[in-house]
Amino acid sequence: YDLKAVIDASPLTDDVEVIVAGRVVTQEYGDRALLKWILAQDPWLVGLGGYTWNEARNDTLAATIKAISPRTLMITGGARFLHGAEAFLASHPYYDVVVVGEGEKTFAELLGVILAGNGDLSSIPGLVWRNGDRVIANPLRKLIQNLEGIPSPYLTGACDPREWGTLDLETQRGCPWNCGYCSYAGAALIQEGERVRFFSIDRVVAEFEMAFASGVRRAYIMDPDFLSKRPRALKLCGALAYVNKK
């Protein structure tokens, strides 16, 4: 939904429509029904968010879509690709591109280059891509420092929390700790930029107010460490308590 919000808010929206498979399609459809739904959209590009828990399903979908429609661009990305993306693409021939790290700017630039008719993706940081038989790893992209430049998928209408019955929300990105098992620490070690970044309290409050006004009464804060900046966390809690009382 973040990627859709970014594209919908950009000039690219005049040339491309981003369709997101919602809760019913992703959570209730079996593999065959999901594949049928994707193909019914007649996509020229399919993006699959990569996590450990959906790796097998993504690979099956990507391989099948590529076999049916070889000209469809298959893209994946996510935190799991911060390490090993080049080897992954080399061993998974049905993917064309891997987005490494935060994807909003990278995905928008990728679409811009493709829509301009330029097949050279070498200028886009944060990509690992296939050029014929070669796998090319571009330099990493710096961590996004100004999170306010990322449109809210809720406030822009890209995502309706009523569909999911909950407000799933980041109020920050990054974590100050260095846990060896965690992708947040991995990103901070290999990507440039301030590692812990915050969305404004005004934005978070507006997202809560919108969700509550639509009847949603459940929220899930996805921050890796909500108390990483304690004064801000307390101020945000106070603001949200006020929203809840209303």
Side-chain angles (χ1 to χ4, degrees):
Y1 291 105
D2 281 358
L3 299 183
K4 176 174 173 57
V6 169
I7 301 305
D8 287 353
S10 77
L12 294 171
T13 192
D14 294 331
D15 301 306
V16 66
E17 178 185 11
V18 178
I19 301 174
V20 180
R23 183 192 65 80
V24 172
V25 173
T26 58
Q27 304 298 311
E28 299 183 13
Y29 281 19
D31 289 354
R32 287 187 178 182
L34 176 55
L35 174 64
K36 183 177 180 180
W37 181 89
I38 293 173
L39 294 175
Q41 314 309 312
D42 191 26
W44 59 269
L45 181 154
V46 174
L48 301 173
Y51 301 89
T52 302
W53 53 264
N54 68 355
E55 178 180 356
R57 191 183 204 194
N58 277 0
D59 289 351
T60 299
L61 282 170
T64 306
I65 293 169
K66 200 67 172 177
I68 295 172
S69 178
R71 301 186 73 173
T72 298
L73 288 173
M74 295 303 306
I75 299 177
T76 189
R80 63 182 289 250
F81 297 110
L82 283 168
H83 300 280
E86 193 171 354
F88 174 87
L89 194 59
S91 62
H92 293 72
Y94 33 84
Y95 289 109
D96 300 293
V97 176
V98 176
V99 176
V100 181
E102 295 170 322
E104 289 89 355
K105 290 184 177 181
T106 305
F107 186 66
E109 290 178 17
L110 172 64
L111 285 184
V113 169
I114 293 173
L115 292 172
N118 182 358
D120 184 8
L121 308 181
S122 59
S123 64
I124 305 174
L127 281 190
V128 176
W129 54 292
R130 195 181 306 282
N131 186 5
D133 294 331
R134 298 174 58 212
V135 171
I136 300 174
N138 293 354
L140 290 172
R141 182 179 294 275
K142 295 180 180 179
L143 294 168
I144 298 174
Q145 297 300 291
N146 179 20
L147 297 185
E148 294 303 297
I150 304 173
S152 165
Y154 295 111
L155 299 179
T156 60
C159 181
D160 187 341
R162 292 174 297 180
E163 179 184 5
W164 296 87
T166 183
L167 180 71
D168 295 332
L169 195 63
E170 290 181 311
T171 81
Q172 70 177 67
R173 286 188 180 177
C175 181
W177 310 109
N178 294 311
C179 303
Y181 55 81
C182 182
S183 61
Y184 285 105
L189 292 173
I190 65 174
Q191 292 180 273
E192 294 182 35
E194 186 67 32
R195 64 191 299 175
V196 183
R197 297 139 294 140
F198 300 92
F199 291 99
S200 71
I201 290 179
D202 287 345
R203 168 175 165 152
V204 176
V205 169
E207 290 171 322
F208 267 83
E209 288 179 330
M210 183 278 297
F212 283 14
S214 68
V216 174
R217 293 295 180 267
R218 179 181 176 185
Y220 174 52
I221 302 298
M222 299 186 294
D223 298 355
D225 184 357
F226 183 72
L227 294 174
S228 62
K229 193 173 182 180
R230 190 177 181 86
R232 174 191 179 271
L234 293 174
K235 184 177 180 180
L236 177 57
C237 286
L240 296 181
Y242 178 75
V243 171
N244 196 41
K245 288 180 181 179
K246 292 197 296 182

